[in-house]
Short mmCIF file of all heavy atoms in Angstrom, two decimals:
data_model
loop_
_atom_site.label_atom_id
_atom_site.label_comp_id
_atom_site.label_asym_id
_atom_site.label_seq_id
_atom_site.Cartn_x
_atom_site.Cartn_y
_atom_site.Cartn_z
N LEU A 1 -7.02 31.34 4.81
CA LEU A 1 -7.76 32.27 5.63
C LEU A 1 -7.45 33.68 5.22
O LEU A 1 -6.33 34.01 4.87
CB LEU A 1 -7.37 32.08 7.09
CG LEU A 1 -7.79 30.78 7.74
CD1 LEU A 1 -7.18 30.67 9.12
CD2 LEU A 1 -9.27 30.65 7.80
N ARG A 2 -8.44 34.52 5.27
CA ARG A 2 -8.22 35.94 4.97
C ARG A 2 -7.45 36.60 6.09
O ARG A 2 -7.51 36.17 7.24
CB ARG A 2 -9.56 36.64 4.81
CG ARG A 2 -10.25 36.30 3.52
CD ARG A 2 -11.46 37.17 3.35
NE ARG A 2 -12.61 36.27 3.30
CZ ARG A 2 -13.79 36.53 3.75
NH1 ARG A 2 -14.05 37.69 4.31
NH2 ARG A 2 -14.76 35.67 3.65
N ASN A 3 -6.73 37.63 5.73
CA ASN A 3 -6.02 38.40 6.76
C ASN A 3 -7.02 38.91 7.78
O ASN A 3 -8.09 39.39 7.43
CB ASN A 3 -5.27 39.58 6.14
CG ASN A 3 -4.04 39.13 5.40
OD1 ASN A 3 -3.54 38.05 5.65
ND2 ASN A 3 -3.57 39.94 4.48
N GLY A 4 -6.67 38.77 9.02
CA GLY A 4 -7.54 39.25 10.09
C GLY A 4 -8.53 38.20 10.58
O GLY A 4 -9.28 38.45 11.50
N ALA A 5 -8.54 37.02 9.96
CA ALA A 5 -9.45 35.96 10.41
C ALA A 5 -8.89 35.32 11.68
O ALA A 5 -7.70 35.04 11.76
CB ALA A 5 -9.62 34.91 9.33
N PHE A 6 -9.73 35.11 12.64
CA PHE A 6 -9.32 34.48 13.89
C PHE A 6 -10.31 33.39 14.24
O PHE A 6 -11.51 33.53 14.03
CB PHE A 6 -9.24 35.51 15.02
CG PHE A 6 -8.18 36.54 14.79
CD1 PHE A 6 -8.50 37.78 14.29
CD2 PHE A 6 -6.85 36.24 15.06
CE1 PHE A 6 -7.52 38.73 14.06
CE2 PHE A 6 -5.86 37.18 14.83
CZ PHE A 6 -6.20 38.42 14.33
N LEU A 7 -9.82 32.33 14.79
CA LEU A 7 -10.68 31.20 15.14
C LEU A 7 -10.99 31.13 16.62
O LEU A 7 -11.75 30.28 17.05
CB LEU A 7 -10.02 29.89 14.67
CG LEU A 7 -9.86 29.82 13.15
CD1 LEU A 7 -9.10 28.55 12.78
CD2 LEU A 7 -11.20 29.86 12.45
N ASP A 8 -10.42 32.01 17.41
CA ASP A 8 -10.76 32.17 18.82
C ASP A 8 -10.87 30.87 19.60
O ASP A 8 -11.90 30.56 20.18
CB ASP A 8 -12.07 32.95 18.96
CG ASP A 8 -11.95 34.36 18.41
OD1 ASP A 8 -10.86 34.93 18.49
OD2 ASP A 8 -12.96 34.87 17.89
N ASN A 9 -9.80 30.08 19.59
CA ASN A 9 -9.74 28.85 20.39
C ASN A 9 -10.79 27.81 20.06
O ASN A 9 -11.18 27.02 20.91
CB ASN A 9 -9.77 29.18 21.88
CG ASN A 9 -8.52 29.92 22.31
OD1 ASN A 9 -7.43 29.60 21.85
ND2 ASN A 9 -8.68 30.91 23.15
N ASN A 10 -11.26 27.79 18.82
CA ASN A 10 -12.22 26.77 18.39
C ASN A 10 -11.48 25.49 17.99
O ASN A 10 -10.30 25.52 17.66
CB ASN A 10 -13.05 27.26 17.20
CG ASN A 10 -14.07 28.29 17.61
OD1 ASN A 10 -14.83 28.06 18.53
ND2 ASN A 10 -14.07 29.42 16.94
N ILE A 11 -12.20 24.39 17.98
CA ILE A 11 -11.68 23.13 17.45
C ILE A 11 -12.12 23.04 16.00
O ILE A 11 -13.29 23.24 15.68
CB ILE A 11 -12.22 21.93 18.25
CG1 ILE A 11 -11.73 22.02 19.70
CG2 ILE A 11 -11.79 20.62 17.61
CD1 ILE A 11 -12.36 20.99 20.61
N VAL A 12 -11.17 22.76 15.10
CA VAL A 12 -11.44 22.69 13.67
C VAL A 12 -11.24 21.26 13.21
O VAL A 12 -10.25 20.61 13.58
CB VAL A 12 -10.51 23.63 12.88
CG1 VAL A 12 -10.73 23.50 11.39
CG2 VAL A 12 -10.69 25.06 13.34
N ILE A 13 -12.16 20.75 12.40
CA ILE A 13 -12.03 19.42 11.81
C ILE A 13 -11.78 19.58 10.32
O ILE A 13 -12.61 20.15 9.61
CB ILE A 13 -13.30 18.57 12.06
CG1 ILE A 13 -13.53 18.41 13.56
CG2 ILE A 13 -13.16 17.21 11.38
CD1 ILE A 13 -14.81 17.69 13.91
N LEU A 14 -10.62 19.08 9.86
CA LEU A 14 -10.29 19.09 8.44
C LEU A 14 -10.72 17.75 7.86
O LEU A 14 -10.38 16.70 8.40
CB LEU A 14 -8.78 19.23 8.24
CG LEU A 14 -8.14 20.57 8.53
CD1 LEU A 14 -6.63 20.46 8.37
CD2 LEU A 14 -8.68 21.62 7.60
N VAL A 15 -11.45 17.78 6.75
CA VAL A 15 -11.91 16.55 6.10
C VAL A 15 -11.35 16.53 4.69
O VAL A 15 -11.47 17.51 3.96
CB VAL A 15 -13.45 16.48 6.07
CG1 VAL A 15 -13.92 15.21 5.38
CG2 VAL A 15 -14.02 16.59 7.48
N ASP A 16 -10.72 15.41 4.32
CA ASP A 16 -10.15 15.26 2.99
C ASP A 16 -10.49 13.87 2.47
O ASP A 16 -10.71 12.95 3.26
CB ASP A 16 -8.63 15.46 3.05
CG ASP A 16 -8.03 15.84 1.70
OD1 ASP A 16 -8.76 15.86 0.69
OD2 ASP A 16 -6.82 16.09 1.66
N ASP A 17 -10.51 13.73 1.14
CA ASP A 17 -10.86 12.44 0.57
C ASP A 17 -9.70 11.46 0.59
O ASP A 17 -9.88 10.28 0.84
CB ASP A 17 -11.40 12.60 -0.85
CG ASP A 17 -10.43 13.30 -1.79
OD1 ASP A 17 -9.44 13.87 -1.31
OD2 ASP A 17 -10.69 13.30 -3.01
N ILE A 18 -8.49 11.94 0.33
CA ILE A 18 -7.33 11.05 0.28
C ILE A 18 -6.08 11.79 0.77
O ILE A 18 -5.96 12.99 0.56
CB ILE A 18 -7.12 10.48 -1.14
CG1 ILE A 18 -6.09 9.36 -1.13
CG2 ILE A 18 -6.76 11.57 -2.12
CD1 ILE A 18 -6.14 8.50 -2.38
N ILE A 19 -5.21 11.06 1.44
CA ILE A 19 -3.97 11.65 1.93
C ILE A 19 -2.80 10.85 1.37
O ILE A 19 -2.85 9.63 1.31
CB ILE A 19 -3.95 11.69 3.48
CG1 ILE A 19 -2.83 12.58 4.01
CG2 ILE A 19 -3.86 10.31 4.06
CD1 ILE A 19 -2.95 12.88 5.49
N THR A 20 -1.78 11.57 0.92
CA THR A 20 -0.60 10.91 0.36
C THR A 20 0.55 11.03 1.35
O THR A 20 0.85 10.09 2.07
CB THR A 20 -0.23 11.52 -1.00
OG1 THR A 20 -1.37 11.42 -1.86
CG2 THR A 20 0.92 10.79 -1.64
N SER A 21 1.18 12.17 1.41
CA SER A 21 2.30 12.35 2.33
C SER A 21 1.88 13.01 3.64
O SER A 21 2.59 12.95 4.63
CB SER A 21 3.38 13.20 1.67
OG SER A 21 2.93 14.53 1.53
N GLY A 22 0.75 13.67 3.63
CA GLY A 22 0.29 14.39 4.82
C GLY A 22 0.76 15.84 4.85
O GLY A 22 0.41 16.58 5.77
N ALA A 23 1.54 16.26 3.85
CA ALA A 23 2.09 17.61 3.84
C ALA A 23 0.99 18.68 3.75
O ALA A 23 1.06 19.70 4.44
CB ALA A 23 3.07 17.77 2.69
N THR A 24 -0.01 18.46 2.92
CA THR A 24 -1.08 19.45 2.77
C THR A 24 -1.89 19.55 4.06
O THR A 24 -2.19 20.66 4.52
CB THR A 24 -2.00 19.08 1.60
OG1 THR A 24 -1.21 19.01 0.41
CG2 THR A 24 -3.11 20.11 1.42
N MET A 25 -2.22 18.42 4.66
CA MET A 25 -2.97 18.42 5.91
C MET A 25 -2.17 19.13 7.00
O MET A 25 -2.71 19.92 7.77
CB MET A 25 -3.30 16.99 6.32
CG MET A 25 -4.14 16.86 7.56
SD MET A 25 -5.91 17.17 7.37
CE MET A 25 -6.44 15.80 6.39
N ALA A 26 -0.88 18.86 7.06
CA ALA A 26 -0.02 19.49 8.08
C ALA A 26 0.05 20.99 7.88
O ALA A 26 0.00 21.76 8.84
CB ALA A 26 1.38 18.88 8.03
N GLU A 27 0.18 21.43 6.64
CA GLU A 27 0.24 22.88 6.37
C GLU A 27 -1.08 23.56 6.71
O GLU A 27 -1.10 24.65 7.28
CB GLU A 27 0.63 23.13 4.91
CG GLU A 27 0.70 24.58 4.53
CD GLU A 27 1.77 25.38 5.28
OE1 GLU A 27 2.65 24.78 5.93
OE2 GLU A 27 1.73 26.63 5.23
N CYS A 28 -2.19 22.92 6.36
CA CYS A 28 -3.50 23.50 6.70
C CYS A 28 -3.65 23.61 8.22
O CYS A 28 -4.13 24.62 8.73
CB CYS A 28 -4.63 22.63 6.13
SG CYS A 28 -4.79 22.73 4.35
N ALA A 29 -3.23 22.58 8.94
CA ALA A 29 -3.31 22.61 10.40
C ALA A 29 -2.44 23.72 10.97
O ALA A 29 -2.84 24.42 11.90
CB ALA A 29 -2.90 21.25 10.97
N ARG A 30 -1.26 23.89 10.40
CA ARG A 30 -0.35 24.95 10.86
C ARG A 30 -1.00 26.33 10.69
O ARG A 30 -1.00 27.15 11.60
CB ARG A 30 0.97 24.90 10.09
CG ARG A 30 2.02 25.87 10.60
CD ARG A 30 3.23 25.91 9.69
NE ARG A 30 2.93 26.53 8.41
CZ ARG A 30 2.82 27.86 8.21
NH1 ARG A 30 2.97 28.69 9.21
NH2 ARG A 30 2.53 28.34 7.02
N VAL A 31 -1.59 26.58 9.52
CA VAL A 31 -2.23 27.87 9.25
C VAL A 31 -3.42 28.08 10.19
O VAL A 31 -3.62 29.18 10.72
CB VAL A 31 -2.67 27.95 7.77
CG1 VAL A 31 -3.56 29.16 7.52
CG2 VAL A 31 -1.45 27.99 6.86
N LEU A 32 -4.20 27.04 10.40
CA LEU A 32 -5.36 27.16 11.29
C LEU A 32 -4.94 27.44 12.73
O LEU A 32 -5.56 28.24 13.42
CB LEU A 32 -6.22 25.89 11.21
CG LEU A 32 -6.96 25.71 9.88
CD1 LEU A 32 -7.48 24.29 9.75
CD2 LEU A 32 -8.09 26.73 9.75
N ARG A 33 -3.88 26.78 13.19
CA ARG A 33 -3.40 27.05 14.55
C ARG A 33 -2.87 28.47 14.69
O ARG A 33 -3.09 29.13 15.70
CB ARG A 33 -2.34 26.03 14.95
CG ARG A 33 -2.93 24.67 15.31
CD ARG A 33 -1.92 23.75 15.98
NE ARG A 33 -0.73 23.53 15.17
CZ ARG A 33 -0.58 22.54 14.27
NH1 ARG A 33 -1.57 21.69 14.08
NH2 ARG A 33 0.52 22.41 13.59
N ARG A 34 -2.18 28.94 13.65
CA ARG A 34 -1.69 30.33 13.69
C ARG A 34 -2.84 31.32 13.71
O ARG A 34 -2.71 32.43 14.22
CB ARG A 34 -0.78 30.61 12.49
CG ARG A 34 0.58 29.96 12.64
CD ARG A 34 1.50 30.31 11.52
NE ARG A 34 1.85 31.72 11.61
CZ ARG A 34 2.45 32.40 10.65
NH1 ARG A 34 2.77 31.82 9.52
NH2 ARG A 34 2.74 33.67 10.81
N ALA A 35 -3.99 30.94 13.15
CA ALA A 35 -5.16 31.81 13.14
C ALA A 35 -5.97 31.69 14.43
O ALA A 35 -7.01 32.32 14.57
CB ALA A 35 -6.05 31.48 11.94
N GLY A 36 -5.49 30.85 15.37
CA GLY A 36 -6.13 30.79 16.67
C GLY A 36 -6.87 29.51 16.99
O GLY A 36 -7.48 29.42 18.06
N ALA A 37 -6.85 28.52 16.12
CA ALA A 37 -7.53 27.26 16.44
C ALA A 37 -6.88 26.62 17.65
O ALA A 37 -5.66 26.54 17.75
CB ALA A 37 -7.47 26.31 15.25
N MET A 38 -7.70 26.17 18.58
CA MET A 38 -7.19 25.52 19.77
C MET A 38 -6.70 24.10 19.43
O MET A 38 -5.69 23.64 19.95
CB MET A 38 -8.29 25.42 20.83
CG MET A 38 -7.89 24.69 22.09
SD MET A 38 -9.18 24.68 23.36
CE MET A 38 -10.50 23.81 22.55
N GLU A 39 -7.43 23.43 18.53
CA GLU A 39 -7.09 22.07 18.15
C GLU A 39 -7.53 21.86 16.71
O GLU A 39 -8.55 22.38 16.27
CB GLU A 39 -7.81 21.08 19.07
CG GLU A 39 -7.48 19.64 18.82
CD GLU A 39 -8.16 18.70 19.82
OE1 GLU A 39 -8.83 19.18 20.74
OE2 GLU A 39 -8.01 17.49 19.65
N VAL A 40 -6.75 21.09 15.96
CA VAL A 40 -7.10 20.75 14.58
C VAL A 40 -7.11 19.23 14.49
O VAL A 40 -6.13 18.56 14.82
CB VAL A 40 -6.09 21.34 13.57
CG1 VAL A 40 -6.47 20.95 12.15
CG2 VAL A 40 -6.04 22.86 13.71
N ILE A 41 -8.23 18.70 14.04
CA ILE A 41 -8.40 17.26 13.88
C ILE A 41 -8.49 16.96 12.38
O ILE A 41 -9.31 17.56 11.68
CB ILE A 41 -9.67 16.76 14.59
CG1 ILE A 41 -9.57 17.07 16.08
CG2 ILE A 41 -9.89 15.28 14.34
CD1 ILE A 41 -10.88 16.88 16.83
N GLY A 42 -7.64 16.06 11.90
CA GLY A 42 -7.66 15.70 10.49
C GLY A 42 -8.35 14.36 10.30
O GLY A 42 -8.04 13.38 10.98
N VAL A 43 -9.30 14.32 9.36
CA VAL A 43 -10.04 13.09 9.05
C VAL A 43 -9.92 12.85 7.56
O VAL A 43 -10.17 13.74 6.76
CB VAL A 43 -11.54 13.23 9.43
CG1 VAL A 43 -12.30 11.98 9.07
CG2 VAL A 43 -11.69 13.57 10.89
N VAL A 44 -9.51 11.63 7.18
CA VAL A 44 -9.39 11.29 5.76
C VAL A 44 -10.12 9.99 5.48
O VAL A 44 -10.22 9.11 6.34
CB VAL A 44 -7.93 11.18 5.30
CG1 VAL A 44 -7.22 12.51 5.39
CG2 VAL A 44 -7.18 10.13 6.06
N LEU A 45 -10.62 9.87 4.25
CA LEU A 45 -11.34 8.67 3.84
C LEU A 45 -10.38 7.55 3.46
O LEU A 45 -10.60 6.39 3.77
CB LEU A 45 -12.25 9.00 2.65
CG LEU A 45 -13.05 7.86 2.08
CD1 LEU A 45 -14.05 7.37 3.10
CD2 LEU A 45 -13.75 8.28 0.81
N ALA A 46 -9.28 7.90 2.79
CA ALA A 46 -8.34 6.88 2.33
C ALA A 46 -6.93 7.45 2.30
O ALA A 46 -6.73 8.66 2.30
CB ALA A 46 -8.73 6.42 0.93
N ARG A 47 -5.96 6.57 2.26
CA ARG A 47 -4.58 7.00 2.10
C ARG A 47 -3.94 6.18 0.99
O ARG A 47 -4.34 5.05 0.73
CB ARG A 47 -3.78 6.85 3.39
CG ARG A 47 -3.51 5.44 3.80
CD ARG A 47 -2.63 5.41 5.06
NE ARG A 47 -2.40 4.04 5.48
CZ ARG A 47 -1.34 3.33 5.12
NH1 ARG A 47 -0.42 3.85 4.35
NH2 ARG A 47 -1.19 2.09 5.54
N THR A 48 -2.93 6.75 0.36
CA THR A 48 -2.23 6.02 -0.69
C THR A 48 -1.27 5.04 -0.04
O THR A 48 -0.81 5.23 1.08
CB THR A 48 -1.45 6.97 -1.61
OG1 THR A 48 -0.55 7.73 -0.83
CG2 THR A 48 -2.38 7.89 -2.36
N VAL A 49 -0.99 3.98 -0.76
CA VAL A 49 -0.07 2.95 -0.29
C VAL A 49 1.04 2.82 -1.31
O VAL A 49 0.79 2.69 -2.51
CB VAL A 49 -0.79 1.59 -0.13
CG1 VAL A 49 0.20 0.49 0.26
CG2 VAL A 49 -1.91 1.69 0.88
N ARG A 50 2.27 2.90 -0.85
CA ARG A 50 3.41 2.71 -1.74
C ARG A 50 3.74 1.23 -1.76
O ARG A 50 4.14 0.64 -0.77
CB ARG A 50 4.61 3.51 -1.26
CG ARG A 50 5.80 3.38 -2.18
CD ARG A 50 6.93 4.23 -1.74
NE ARG A 50 6.48 5.62 -1.78
CZ ARG A 50 7.24 6.65 -1.48
NH1 ARG A 50 8.47 6.46 -1.10
NH2 ARG A 50 6.77 7.88 -1.53
N LEU A 51 3.55 0.61 -2.92
CA LEU A 51 3.85 -0.81 -3.06
C LEU A 51 5.33 -1.00 -3.36
O LEU A 51 5.96 -0.19 -4.03
CB LEU A 51 3.02 -1.41 -4.19
CG LEU A 51 1.50 -1.36 -3.98
CD1 LEU A 51 0.79 -1.90 -5.20
CD2 LEU A 51 1.12 -2.17 -2.75
N ARG A 52 5.88 -2.09 -2.87
CA ARG A 52 7.27 -2.43 -3.12
C ARG A 52 7.36 -3.19 -4.45
O ARG A 52 6.40 -3.83 -4.87
CB ARG A 52 7.80 -3.29 -1.99
CG ARG A 52 7.78 -2.56 -0.64
CD ARG A 52 8.18 -3.50 0.45
NE ARG A 52 7.23 -4.63 0.43
CZ ARG A 52 6.79 -5.25 1.50
NH1 ARG A 52 7.20 -4.90 2.68
NH2 ARG A 52 5.95 -6.25 1.41
N PRO A 53 8.51 -3.14 -5.11
CA PRO A 53 8.68 -3.83 -6.39
C PRO A 53 8.37 -5.32 -6.30
O PRO A 53 7.87 -5.91 -7.26
CB PRO A 53 10.15 -3.61 -6.74
CG PRO A 53 10.54 -2.39 -6.00
CD PRO A 53 9.70 -2.38 -4.75
N GLU A 54 8.63 -5.94 -5.16
CA GLU A 54 8.39 -7.38 -5.04
C GLU A 54 6.91 -7.73 -4.80
O GLU A 54 6.55 -8.90 -4.80
CB GLU A 54 9.26 -7.99 -3.93
CG GLU A 54 8.96 -7.48 -2.54
CD GLU A 54 9.77 -6.24 -2.14
OE1 GLU A 54 10.37 -5.59 -2.99
OE2 GLU A 54 9.78 -5.94 -0.94
N ASP A 55 6.07 -6.72 -4.57
CA ASP A 55 4.64 -7.00 -4.39
C ASP A 55 4.05 -7.49 -5.70
O ASP A 55 4.26 -6.92 -6.76
CB ASP A 55 3.89 -5.75 -3.91
CG ASP A 55 4.21 -5.41 -2.46
OD1 ASP A 55 4.56 -6.33 -1.71
OD2 ASP A 55 4.11 -4.23 -2.11
N ASN A 56 3.28 -8.55 -5.62
CA ASN A 56 2.66 -9.14 -6.80
C ASN A 56 1.41 -8.36 -7.17
O ASN A 56 0.42 -8.41 -6.45
CB ASN A 56 2.34 -10.61 -6.52
CG ASN A 56 1.68 -11.29 -7.69
OD1 ASN A 56 1.63 -10.73 -8.80
ND2 ASN A 56 1.17 -12.48 -7.47
N LEU A 57 1.44 -7.67 -8.30
CA LEU A 57 0.29 -6.87 -8.72
C LEU A 57 -0.59 -7.62 -9.71
O LEU A 57 -1.58 -7.10 -10.18
CB LEU A 57 0.75 -5.55 -9.34
CG LEU A 57 1.52 -4.64 -8.39
CD1 LEU A 57 1.93 -3.37 -9.11
CD2 LEU A 57 0.70 -4.31 -7.17
N THR A 58 -0.24 -8.85 -10.05
CA THR A 58 -1.03 -9.60 -11.03
C THR A 58 -2.09 -10.46 -10.37
O THR A 58 -3.03 -10.88 -11.02
CB THR A 58 -0.11 -10.51 -11.88
OG1 THR A 58 0.57 -11.41 -11.00
CG2 THR A 58 0.89 -9.68 -12.66
N GLY A 59 -1.95 -10.74 -9.08
CA GLY A 59 -2.91 -11.59 -8.39
C GLY A 59 -4.03 -10.79 -7.76
O GLY A 59 -4.18 -9.59 -7.98
N ASP A 60 -4.83 -11.45 -6.98
CA ASP A 60 -5.93 -10.83 -6.26
C ASP A 60 -5.36 -10.21 -4.99
O ASP A 60 -5.01 -10.90 -4.03
CB ASP A 60 -6.99 -11.87 -5.92
CG ASP A 60 -8.20 -11.28 -5.23
OD1 ASP A 60 -8.16 -10.08 -4.84
OD2 ASP A 60 -9.20 -11.99 -5.08
N LEU A 61 -5.26 -8.86 -4.97
CA LEU A 61 -4.64 -8.18 -3.84
C LEU A 61 -5.41 -8.39 -2.55
O LEU A 61 -4.84 -8.42 -1.47
CB LEU A 61 -4.51 -6.67 -4.14
CG LEU A 61 -3.51 -6.30 -5.23
CD1 LEU A 61 -3.57 -4.81 -5.48
CD2 LEU A 61 -2.11 -6.72 -4.84
N PHE A 62 -6.74 -8.53 -2.65
CA PHE A 62 -7.52 -8.70 -1.43
C PHE A 62 -7.35 -10.11 -0.86
O PHE A 62 -7.31 -10.31 0.34
CB PHE A 62 -8.99 -8.38 -1.68
CG PHE A 62 -9.21 -6.93 -1.97
CD1 PHE A 62 -9.47 -6.49 -3.27
CD2 PHE A 62 -9.12 -5.99 -0.98
CE1 PHE A 62 -9.64 -5.16 -3.54
CE2 PHE A 62 -9.29 -4.64 -1.24
CZ PHE A 62 -9.57 -4.23 -2.53
N ALA A 63 -7.23 -11.10 -1.74
CA ALA A 63 -7.05 -12.48 -1.27
C ALA A 63 -5.66 -12.64 -0.67
O ALA A 63 -5.49 -13.32 0.35
CB ALA A 63 -7.24 -13.45 -2.42
N GLU A 64 -4.65 -12.01 -1.27
CA GLU A 64 -3.28 -12.14 -0.80
C GLU A 64 -2.98 -11.20 0.36
O GLU A 64 -2.09 -11.43 1.14
CB GLU A 64 -2.30 -11.87 -1.94
CG GLU A 64 -2.41 -12.89 -3.05
CD GLU A 64 -1.54 -12.53 -4.24
OE1 GLU A 64 -0.61 -11.73 -4.07
OE2 GLU A 64 -1.81 -13.03 -5.33
N GLY A 65 -3.71 -10.11 0.43
CA GLY A 65 -3.49 -9.11 1.47
C GLY A 65 -2.43 -8.12 1.09
O GLY A 65 -1.38 -8.50 0.57
N ILE A 66 -2.70 -6.85 1.29
CA ILE A 66 -1.73 -5.80 1.04
C ILE A 66 -1.02 -5.51 2.34
O ILE A 66 -1.67 -5.28 3.36
CB ILE A 66 -2.41 -4.51 0.49
CG1 ILE A 66 -3.10 -4.81 -0.82
CG2 ILE A 66 -1.39 -3.40 0.34
CD1 ILE A 66 -3.87 -3.64 -1.36
N ARG A 67 0.29 -5.51 2.36
CA ARG A 67 1.06 -5.25 3.57
C ARG A 67 1.21 -3.78 3.77
O ARG A 67 1.34 -2.99 2.93
CB ARG A 67 2.42 -5.92 3.49
CG ARG A 67 2.28 -7.43 3.50
CD ARG A 67 3.64 -8.10 3.40
NE ARG A 67 4.21 -7.96 2.08
CZ ARG A 67 3.86 -8.70 1.01
NH1 ARG A 67 2.94 -9.62 1.14
NH2 ARG A 67 4.43 -8.54 -0.15
#
C-alpha cells in the first residue's frame, strides 16, 4: 500500500493461487489491517503438502490416499 492509503474499516478479500507456510498471506493481512481494514479474509485455491519419507510416491496417490 502507498503511504497515506487507508481502507476505512472495509472488508478485504485476499486471493492467492497456492499457499505454502502462510507467511505471505499473514504479512499481507497485517499490512492491510494496519491500513484500516476491518477484516481480512484469505482465500486460496491449493496448499502444498509436505510428504513424509515413508509415503509411497511410486504408486497411485489418489487410489492410496494422501494423508
Side-chain angles (χ1 to χ4, degrees):
L1 292 173
R2 286 188 241 147
N3 286 339
F6 295 99
L7 297 175
D8 297 328
N9 293 320
N10 286 308
I11 297 172
V12 177
I13 300 175
L14 288 176
V15 180
D16 202 355
D17 57 348
I18 191 163
I19 193 168
T20 304
S21 69
T24 302
M25 183 78 68
E27 179 63 13
C28 289
R30 186 188 69 78
V31 169
L32 290 166
R33 284 192 302 270
R34 285 184 68 193
M38 177 176 62
E39 183 176 357
V40 179
I41 300 169
V43 178
V44 295
L45 179 65
R47 70 177 178 94
T48 57
V49 176
R50 182 176 298 182
L51 297 176
R52 298 174 302 216
E54 65 270 15
D55 288 334
N56 179 11
L57 298 180
T58 59
D60 183 350
L61 292 175
F62 292 105
E64 296 174 19
I66 299 176
R67 293 179 288 281

